[in-house]
Amino acid sequence: MLEITPATVVQIILLAREGSVAETQLHEFIAGLNADDKAQLTAIAWIGRGSFEAEEFDQAVETAVTEATTPTEDYLMGMPHLAENLEAGLEALGVDVTGEEEDLL
């Protein structure tokens, strides 16, 4: 089940939306996450882009762990539409982040 906090994912979404202005900050923020959060973040992005279904979350996390060949921050920052994928992934998982978005804006 989802252990990464929705607020953490929302922070990454907001940084990703800022593009090159926040690139260094986004890179450092993702790099500072623990291994479990990195795997879950990757799984959320994969669900959001349609690589996995929401009910396959645990499998997506396991795949993220076993198939990681580059640093998560580099992989995710190279993903087109990262912010949109994370938003769609959270939505698919039934995670409402309205409060977190308001708190961070």
Side-chain angles (χ1 to χ4, degrees):
M1 190 35 59
L2 192 66
E3 293 177 16
I4 189 172
T5 66
T8 297
V9 181
V10 168
Q11 181 67 38
I12 292 165
I13 290 168
L14 294 175
L15 289 170
R17 283 186 188 150
E18 292 182 30
S20 60
V21 174
E23 189 173 326
T24 300
Q25 190 178 0
L26 176 59
H27 191 274
E28 291 173 358
F29 190 87
I30 296 172
L33 296 175
N34 67 44
D36 291 338
D37 284 354
K38 288 178 182 179
Q40 290 200 0
L41 186 65
T42 302
I44 293 167
W46 284 345
I47 289 168
R49 75 174 185 194
S51 299
F52 287 86
E53 297 297 323
E55 48 277 349
E56 298 173 318
F57 178 74
D58 291 337
Q59 179 186 352
V61 171
E62 186 177 315
T63 301
V65 170
T66 59
E67 294 187 7
T69 57
T70 61
T72 303
E73 56 275 18
D74 295 337
Y75 173 74
L76 290 176
M77 290 179 67
M79 180 183 287
H81 312 292
L82 175 60
E84 293 84 355
N85 289 340
L86 291 172
E87 287 175 331
L90 287 173
E91 185 177 327
L93 291 165
V95 179
D96 180 13
V97 294
T98 305
E100 284 81 1
E101 286 178 342
E102 291 170 359
D103 290 346
L104 292 171
L105 290 176

